[in-house]
Amino acid sequence: MLKPHSWVLRLGHRYVRDDRLTTHVGLVARAFGASGIYIVGGEVQIKESIDKVSERWGGPFRVELIEEWRKVISNWRAQGGIIVHLTMYGLLVSDVIEDIRSAQKDLLIIVGAEKVPREIFDLADYNVAIGHQPHSEAAALAVFLDHLYRGQELKITYDHSKLKIMPHSRGKKVLSLEEEKVGG
Ligand SMILES: C[S@@+](CC[C@H](N)C(=O)[O-])C[C@H]1O[C@@H](n2cnc3c(N)ncnc32)[C@H](O)[C@@H]1O
């Protein structure tokens, strides 16, 4: 189990327009070691797509569709967790990651879409930049989690998976754990 535990809070999802990217943020969160994601204003289809991946490739990973993000932040803080906001305006990840990791507290990692409300910058314990250039919430989240977990997240094994990749230098080999046979 990776420590500290982390959840992602996806803010600013734009109806339909951001469906694919928000789904990718969820998949990145799952694959890079977070325990779940809160999606503000996301459609049920986004949750279904991410849940479907967890069903086939294992979990646990939770997806919660929410409307009220302030409550999530205040509950998180009340339970002793800390808040990290990923933004290109923040402090460089390599300068703060040691502090964040050594706090040994559960992390709520906020990523935005187009524009993040100003108050998030004040609510966050850390405003963290993955470099000071604009790029993508999916990329920012992946790099942050990789720094946080020092690459160990890439070795995670998931419970109750139906499929498992058998690494191969060229071909595609996938073990179907349900049927106990190798396909590819
Ligand atoms: C399309 S970007 C908007 C860029 C935005 N102006 C900002 O504050 O980073 C959407 C989200 O991606 C993340 N993001 C983009 N570039 C980033 C960077 N260099 N460092 C950290 N997060 C970044 C932030 O969470 C941001 O809210």
Side-chain angles (χ1 to χ4, degrees):
M1 182 63 79
L2 294 169
K3 290 276 181 70
H5 295 300
S6 59
W7 268 69
V8 173
L9 171 58
R10 164 58 158 166
L11 289 183
H13 169 82
R14 291 163 295 181
Y15 181 69
V16 181
R17 189 172 159 184
D18 281 334
D19 281 6
R20 200 170 146 77
L21 187 47
T22 298
T23 304
H24 285 185
V25 169
L27 294 180
V28 165
R30 174 186 169 277
F32 285 75
S35 304
I37 184 169
Y38 299 104
I39 301 172
V40 183
E43 299 90 310
V44 75
Q45 290 85 340
I46 297 172
K47 175 176 165 52
E48 285 170 356
S49 308
I50 303 168
D51 284 347
K52 212 156 140 192
V53 170
S54 299
E55 229 169 78
R56 299 179 77 206
W57 293 93
F61 183 78
R62 286 177 47 204
V63 180
E64 293 195 15
L65 302 178
I66 61 165
E67 293 303 326
E68 186 31 81
W69 52 266
R70 285 182 186 82
K71 217 152 109 191
V72 169
I73 293 179
S74 58
N75 285 345
W76 197 268
R77 202 183 287 296
Q79 285 168 20
I82 56 177
I83 320 287
V84 169
H85 168 218
L86 299 184
T87 168
M88 65 180 180
Y89 303 105
L91 302 178
L92 192 62
V93 61
S94 44
D95 293 337
V96 291
I97 198 69
E98 202 55 57
D99 264 19
I100 294 173
R101 207 188 291 116
S102 61
Q104 295 188 345
K105 293 182 171 171
D106 291 352
L107 297 187
L108 182 66
I109 305 161
I110 302 176
V111 295
E114 201 176 32
K115 204 165 184 175
V116 169
R118 178 66 188 83
E119 65 181 293
I120 292 291
F121 287 78
D122 299 323
L123 286 170
D125 297 293
Y126 296 90
N127 289 293
V128 178
I130 309 299
H132 300 291
Q133 302 296 319
H135 45 82
S136 141
E137 44 274 53
L141 180 61
V143 171
F144 178 79
L145 288 170
D146 190 60
H147 274 62
L148 180 69
Y149 295 129
R150 298 187 176 106
Q152 293 307 304
E153 80 287 352
L154 301 180
K155 300 175 189 163
I156 298 174
T157 55
Y158 295 86
D159 296 335
H160 310 298
S161 61
K162 294 180 180 163
L163 297 170
K164 187 181 179 207
I165 288 175
M166 309 299 288
H168 197 276
S169 59
R170 285 184 210 285
K172 296 197 257 179
K173 283 208 185 301
V174 182
L175 186 64
S176 167
L177 299 172
E178 276 188 325
E179 298 158 27
E180 284 181 39
K181 67 176 185 201
V182 178

